[in-house]
């Protein structure tokens, strides 16, 4: 993406502010014209005074007054117009920054889990903040001064040729030198700047990793190692950035030198033309002012090109994420069915992550409203994938999933997920208050409703024993709470949501026996009167399931109740025998009742 195309994309994000952008562009054009009216008028005043002095005649005061009045008028217009442009440009840039930032955040949250599995959260945060800041800076610079500078050049060069083509050519020559020099530096440093941005992303990812796993860092005495690693990344970033800065420093030095050389050239050429009767003293003064203005505007344009160039890699990253489309999205005619009954049907469902080996294949089963369906099998057997397909974390390559007889692809995503509650193996909590985390399930929940849900989830006691109770912060990822407390809080959240379909994904696998008993009691409460899917490695937790589906290599190899499958003597019976014999051997109790069903 070229710099021009990139900045065209930046301007396209003005959205509803485009009309104000057009107004600012027109104001910039008027401002540029007014800036060059002043040197012209000043030159005419000098000529009028010089002419009257040479002829010995009295100055034409009416003419001088008109010129001075016009000069003052243009000066006042420049001040008022400049302040107006700056004020509105600031406000436009800040408003659009917040809008684009929140829009990017919303877009990323809607991208599928497959995207988030491969995109580092620290990198995404860096892209969002750096991209929004870059957009803000470019909008602000463009409408405050850079566009006016470009318009000034567009007005000045033709005007200078009209007033005195010889002196005008000197100014055009300066512009050509600037343009060539800037193009050479941009071309020389483009690849280097992309490398710099890569190091910035690496810095964000490494810092985020260490901060997100601070317990691991401290527990394994890796503070020095992590600091050293981050310092190495920072050193690499600095080493990559320095050559880029050096090249642009060369431009700055040459710009300063060109200012003196240009003024000197205008003066010498002007004196020569004056001695030969081709330029007045006023014209020389006017072009000297032109030269000063020209250099100033060129410096602004070069700074703007520099900022676009420096921000180009982060803007490209920003637009790459913004242009990423989710494979899972609403169809144009998708419907919101309201609250569903909860009959779930899988019909010949097949899905593969890589397009080669199926994660699940030919799944066929039906769950009636109120039933509890357990999914068991080894790691990687396809259990979690099957239920991820149910709430459309992914869409199957073939087959269909229906709820109450309607293909879930025909339902709005928000409506589908509103009807499904998930209690994950890892209780996912936000770094907010207990009440805020509970209201994720029901945003308008009252305190009484939250207390009721917490009580049913066996969580009310520990909440009320916590300072500030429901207003207490749970910390990042709920670290202030124990594992059992986090899990019961997530169950209370599901109870508040009150979904007709519930997914329990290894909800008790990481808990000790005493805590598991409390959580299991809470789960028994939340499972009442709703279609429930349970993924569990501990087969004791699925004994009362309506039906058990045994997965192996992405397929359902057995189905039935706990007793039926034990009596069948197949894959499930082997798993049950292995688990319960181990458990009861530790407890020194017989296991005959399990083997016999």
């Amino acid at each position: 993406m070229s710099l021009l195309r990139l900045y065209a994309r930046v301007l396209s994000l003005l959205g509803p502010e485009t009309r104000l952008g057009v107004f600012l562009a027109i104001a910039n054009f008027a401002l540029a014209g007014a800036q060059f009216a002043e040197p012209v008028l000043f030159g005419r005043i000098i000529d009028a005074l010089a002419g009257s002095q040479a002829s010995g005649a009295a100055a034409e005061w009416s003419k001088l007054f008109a010129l001075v009045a016009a000069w003052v008028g243009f000066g006042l217009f420049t001040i008022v117009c400049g302040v107006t442009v700056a004020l509105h440009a600031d406000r436009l840039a800040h408003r659009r920054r917040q809008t684009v930032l929140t829009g990017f955040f919303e877009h990323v949250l809607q991208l599928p889990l497959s995207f988030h599995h491969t995109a580092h959260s620290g990198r995404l945060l860096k892209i969002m903040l750096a991209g929004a800041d870059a957009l803000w800076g470019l909008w602000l610079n463009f409408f405050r001064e850079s566009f006016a500078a470009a318009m000034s050049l567009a007005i000045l060069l033709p005007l200078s040729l009209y007033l005195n083509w010889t002196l005008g050519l000197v100014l055009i020559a300066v512009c050509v030198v600037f343009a060539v020099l800037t193009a050479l530096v941009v071309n020389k440093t483009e690849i280097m700047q992309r490398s710099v941005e890569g190091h910035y992303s690496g810095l964000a990812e490494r810092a985020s990793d260490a901060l997100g796993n601070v317990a691991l860092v401290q527990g394994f005495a890796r503070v020095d190692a992590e600091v050293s690693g981050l310092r190495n990344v920072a050193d690499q970033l600095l080493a990559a950035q320095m050559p880029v800065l050096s090249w642009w420093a060369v431009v700055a030095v040459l710009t300063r030198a060109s200012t003196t050389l240009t003024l000197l050239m205008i003066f010498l050429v002007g004196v020569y033309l004056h001695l030969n009767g081709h330029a007045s003293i006023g014209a020389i003064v006017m072009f000297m002012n032109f030269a000063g203005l020209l250099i100033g505007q060129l410096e602004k344009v070069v700074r703007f090109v520099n900022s676009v160039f420096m921000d180009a890699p982060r803007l490209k990253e920003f637009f790459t994420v913004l242009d990423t489309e989710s494979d899972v999205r609403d169809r144009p005619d998708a419907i919101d069915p309201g609250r569903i009954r909860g009959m779930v049907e899988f019909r010949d469902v097949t899905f593969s992550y890589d397009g080669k080996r199926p994660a699940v294949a030919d799944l066929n089963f039906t769950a009636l409203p109120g039933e509890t369906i357990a999914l068991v099998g080894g790691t990687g057997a396809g259990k979690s994938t099957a239920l991820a397909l149910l709430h459309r974390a992914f869409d199957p390559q073939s087959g269909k999933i229906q709820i109450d007889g309607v293909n879930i692809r025909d339902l709005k995503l928000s409506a589908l997920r509103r009807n499904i509650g998930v209690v994950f193996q890892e209780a996912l909590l936000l770094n907010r208050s207990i009440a805020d985390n509970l209201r994720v399930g029901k945003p308008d929940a009252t305190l009484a409703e939250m207390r009721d849900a917490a009580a049913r989830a066996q969580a009310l006691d520990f909440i009320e024993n916590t300072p500030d109770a429901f207003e207490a912060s749970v910390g990042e990822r709920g670290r202030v709470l124990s594992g059992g407390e986090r899990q019961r809080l997530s169950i209370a959240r599901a109870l508040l949501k009150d979904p007709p379909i519930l997914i329990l994904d290894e909800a008790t696998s990481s808990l000790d026996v005493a805590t598991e008993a409390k959580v299991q009691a809470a789960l028994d409460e939340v499972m009442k009167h709703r279609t429930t899917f349970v993924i569990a490695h501990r087969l004791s937790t699925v004994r009362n399931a309506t039906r058990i589906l045994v997965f192996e290599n992405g397929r359902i190899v057995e189905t039935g109740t706990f007793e039926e499958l034990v009596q069948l003597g197949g894959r499930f019976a082997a798993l049950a025998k292995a688990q319960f014999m181990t458990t009861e051997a530790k407890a020194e109790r017989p296991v005959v009742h399990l083997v016999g069903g």
Side-chain angles (χ1 to χ4, degrees), residues 39 192 200:
M192 288 189 282
Y200 272 116

Side-chain angles (χ1 to χ4, degrees), residues 312-327:
R314 64 195 64 172
L315 287 172
K316 288 175 182 177
E317 282 188 321
F318 186 88
F319 289 133
T320 296
V321 176
L322 199 62
D323 292 338
T324 301
E325 293 187 0
S326 173
D327 294 331

Side-chain angles (χ1 to χ4, degrees), residues 123-138:
R123 178 175 174 271
L124 288 175
L125 181 61
K126 175 260 176 188
I127 289 173
M128 180 178 72
L129 296 178
D133 285 343
L135 289 168
W136 170 81
L138 292 179

Side-chain angles (χ1 to χ4, degrees), residues 60-70:
E60 296 182 25
W61 291 108
S62 59
K63 182 180 179 180
L64 280 174
F65 179 79
L67 289 171
V68 171

